[in-house]
Amino acid sequence: MKYTLIFLLIFSAVVSGAFAAVASGISVPWRQIVGGAKTDEQKVTQGLTPASGYQLQLFADNVPNARWLAITRKGDLLVSQPKEGRISLLSPDLNGDGRADSQRMLIDDLNRPHGLAFHENWLYIAESDAIGRVPFDHSDGRLAGRYERILEDLEDSGHWTKTIEMGPDGWLYLSSGSSCNVCIEKDRRRATIMRLRPDGSDLEILATGLRNSVGFDWSPKDGGLYATDNGRDWLGDNLPPDELNLIQPEKFYGWPYAYGDRIPDPDFINDESPTIKEMIASSLPPVHEFAAHNAPLGIRFLRSPEQQTDYRGAALVALHGSWNRSVKDGYKVVSLHWDEGGNITQRDFLWGFLSQDRKEVSGRPVAIAEDGQGIIYISDDYAGAIYRLSPSDPQKTVAPRKTKAPAPAPAPAPAPAPAPGRVPKKPPPANAAAAQEGRALYLSHNCAQCHQQQVPLKELNKKYTLQTLSDFFDTPTPPMPRYDFTDEQKKALAHYLLAREALQ
């Protein structure tokens, strides 16, 4: 009954706004109002176009209001469904047909759940007014305990979605959009990115002036935290640009006083307050601008070595698509590529959700996830679908060389092989303290469950150095999951594994 009343109130407000939009000449994707469109395999394969070198499949088509995504250590896909008040679990494609092998409800009776994140053996869920967590068993995709809220009383008027991600520093990061189009917020937590401890303590505001940063992720190349941001409405078709910002602690990013590269907002352009002028002057401009009203939401940096060469380290961004515009725009997924000088270029990665005459919409991409095999999942809250893209051949796309590499020196003659049975073992790493810490990680994550029988660890010293084994944990080969290890933890685990093998 509660969700029925909420839906009726939202529906009435949306319908009223829709009629106002018609009068204003605004082009709204109408089916979003009544639940979205329907899709099928034929519509996907014939209507959508992926980037060269990627194969597109319809992974699931019965996930109403599919929003945020998270992948378990086993490879299951979690999907938040805010309007349904639940999180669903889709099992990976093991029979080779490109579709989810099964789908089931994981947890429900939540208040518009949106963001999802894993940390250790916890699943974190961002509801519209709170952050909660529940013990999660990655081995069978089941909840292992009771759901508890660790942070409550978050404002959820206006831009109500909350997104969470676990940062490389072990803190939980949280974005909260504005309560309005343009206003001065009463609650300092609105229009910000915050962070808190995994237990919900020590909440602090990291950056301000971010109108609605629904998606954010850390670059594997420079370690920077990049966040999308949706610009304000009602300034015409081409203003203001939507943004990609490089988030820095205690910095201000313009809203509501300015947009783009410190351009004063019309609502404040005549304000003579020296404080506002100073805030505009000191605000950080975006590192990249998207077209106005394209609504960039999810962003995900691609980390798997299985990706096409030119896409490793690139970021995919879901452009949800315009509504506050006379002609529709966006409705696609784009890739962002950084050159050696830090300049960003944008390319189309998945398109076809918008008809060529820009009148009909078949889908609105929201979030992006990537597993260790390079499989990319994209959610669509308009069609209630999840798309699956796989790199067809990583060798087809080769990044251009900048300089000609010098000719390699002649290889020295190989040393004679030792007699059988007399090959000396490599000594264990010298850092015994690090190896001990690595052993504790190995035991606490129950690594032996797989590695003693299913995937025994052999000849690590022949395949890896300490550094390359440490780097392996960033993009492990499935079925090994990717853990949120710090650099020190990765090196400690590498110390232990190499020492363990050498002493066997």
Side-chain angles (χ1 to χ4, degrees):
M1 184 66 179
K2 175 178 69 174
Y3 292 111
T4 301
L5 291 174
I6 291 173
F7 173 77
L8 289 174
L9 289 172
I10 294 173
F11 180 79
S12 299
V14 171
V15 170
S16 298
F19 282 116
V22 172
S24 305
I26 301 305
S27 186
V28 177
W30 293 108
R31 291 178 185 171
Q32 190 94 44
I33 299 173
V34 294
K38 293 292 184 182
T39 193
D40 55 38
E41 191 72 37
Q42 182 177 1
K43 290 180 181 178
V44 169
T45 56
Q46 294 183 1
L48 302 182
T49 303
S52 177
Y54 286 88
Q55 179 183 1
L56 172 66
Q57 295 168 301
L58 179 60
F59 187 65
D61 59 359
N62 187 27
V63 195
N65 193 224
R67 291 286 294 190
W68 223 249
L69 304 173
I71 299 177
T72 73
R73 297 172 192 165
K74 188 180 177 182
D76 295 321
L77 182 70
L78 268 56
V79 186
S80 68
Q81 298 170 265
K83 291 182 182 178
E84 311 295 321
R86 68 173 177 241
I87 310 297
S88 291
L89 182 146
L90 282 65
S91 59
D93 169 36
L94 299 180
N95 60 15
D97 65 355
R99 305 274 294 190
D101 285 355
S102 65
Q103 177 178 331
R104 60 180 167 86
M105 188 272 291
L106 181 70
I107 184 173
D108 65 352
D109 199 28
L110 300 171
N111 186 17
R112 291 188 288 182
H114 190 259
L116 302 169
F118 285 112
H119 179 59
E120 296 179 343
N121 292 319
W122 294 97
L123 166 63
Y124 288 83
I125 302 173
E127 300 182 69
S128 67
D129 61 349
I131 306 299
R133 68 177 184 177
V134 58
F136 185 82
D137 188 338
H138 287 263
S139 65
D140 64 1
R142 304 282 178 177
L143 302 184
R146 292 180 58 188
Y147 178 74
E148 61 173 343
R149 286 183 162 192
I150 60 173
L151 180 66
E152 294 188 287
D153 300 321
L154 297 173
E155 292 288 336
D156 61 355
S157 59
H159 295 114
W160 56 267
T161 63
K162 304 293 187 296
T163 304
I164 50 173
E165 298 285 354
M166 185 57 64
D169 55 2
W171 286 67
L172 190 66
Y173 285 69
L174 166 67
S175 68
S176 177
S178 66
S179 65
C180 60
N181 182 33
V182 183
C183 67
I184 298 175
E185 298 285 3
K186 295 180 181 179
D187 187 333
R188 293 182 60 250
R189 299 173 298 178
R190 301 304 299 260
T192 68
I193 289 180
M194 300 168 275
R195 69 174 193 166
L196 60 153
R197 300 283 186 183
D199 63 359
S201 62
D202 299 333
L203 178 69
E204 62 183 39
I205 296 175
L206 182 71
T208 59
L210 297 162
R211 180 176 176 272
N212 192 24
S213 289
V214 177
F216 54 92
D217 193 17
W218 288 262
S219 167
K221 290 185 176 180
D222 61 26
L225 172 57
Y226 291 86
T228 61
D229 196 28
N230 286 208
R232 63 158 293 180
D233 299 315
W234 309 116
L235 292 184
D237 279 4
N238 301 312
L239 287 177
D242 289 332
E243 300 179 355
L244 178 71
N245 291 298
L246 176 57
I247 303 302
Q248 300 181 35
E250 300 181 2
K251 295 298 183 181
F252 175 65
Y253 288 84
W255 185 88
Y257 306 116
Y259 61 80
D261 192 0
R262 304 185 181 96
I263 300 173
D265 186 277
D267 284 21
F268 295 95
I269 197 168
N270 295 321
D271 196 309
E272 296 299 324
S273 168
T275 301
I276 292 179
K277 290 184 177 181
E278 182 180 344
M279 290 183 70
I280 293 175
S282 63
S283 65
L284 293 189
V287 294
H288 178 72
E289 294 184 354
F290 301 98
H293 313 302
N294 273 210
L297 299 185
I299 177 173
R300 188 63 59 197
F301 283 92
L302 299 180
R303 294 172 167 84
S304 172
E306 300 300 320
Q307 296 299 346
Q308 298 282 343
T309 305
D310 203 24
Y311 286 91
R312 297 172 196 165
L316 299 185
V317 178
L319 302 183
H320 198 226
S322 62
W323 68 268
N324 184 227
R325 211 172 181 280
S326 62
V327 179
K328 292 181 177 69
D329 197 18
Y331 303 99
K332 59 185 175 182
V333 178
V334 298
S335 60
L336 303 181
H337 303 258
W338 279 252
D339 66 17
E340 295 177 356
N343 302 304
I344 301 173
T345 57
Q346 176 177 317
R347 308 176 192 168
D348 286 350
F349 184 80
L350 178 64
W351 62 97
F353 298 103
L354 180 61
S355 63
Q356 291 187 355
D357 62 7
R358 299 198 174 202
K359 293 182 179 180
E360 297 297 326
V361 173
S362 63
R364 305 188 76 184
V366 177
I368 300 150
E370 177 200 33
D371 70 13
Q373 296 175 294
I375 305 299
I376 299 166
Y377 297 96
I378 298 171
S379 63
D380 178 348
D381 65 350
Y382 192 68
I386 308 294
Y387 309 104
R388 181 183 188 271
L389 291 98
S390 53
S392 54
D393 184 352
Q395 303 303 319
K396 285 185 178 180
T397 305
V398 180
R401 286 172 148 183
K402 299 298 180 182
T403 57
K404 185 176 181 181
R422 301 181 61 85
V423 179
K425 293 183 177 180
K426 289 188 178 183
N431 192 334
Q436 186 66 23
E437 180 185 350
R439 180 177 182 274
L441 286 170
Y442 186 87
L443 295 176
S444 66
H445 288 80
N446 199 20
C447 301
Q449 181 178 356
C450 287
H451 287 303
Q452 282 186 347
Q453 296 181 354
Q454 301 177 34
V455 189
L457 298 173
K458 296 181 180 179
E459 300 183 331
L460 293 181
N461 282 287
K462 292 183 179 180
K463 299 176 183 177
Y464 299 98
T465 65
L466 182 66
Q467 185 61 54
T468 58
L469 182 55
S470 175
D471 293 340
F472 170 82
F473 300 129
D474 286 330
T475 52
T477 303
M480 180 176 171
R482 179 179 173 228
Y483 296 98
D484 296 315
F485 291 143
T486 64
D487 288 341
E488 290 75 18
Q489 288 175 320
K490 288 184 291 184
K491 287 185 178 180
L493 187 55
H495 270 290
Y496 169 65
L497 293 175
L498 293 174
R500 176 175 174 269
E501 180 183 79
L503 293 174
Q504 286 178 344

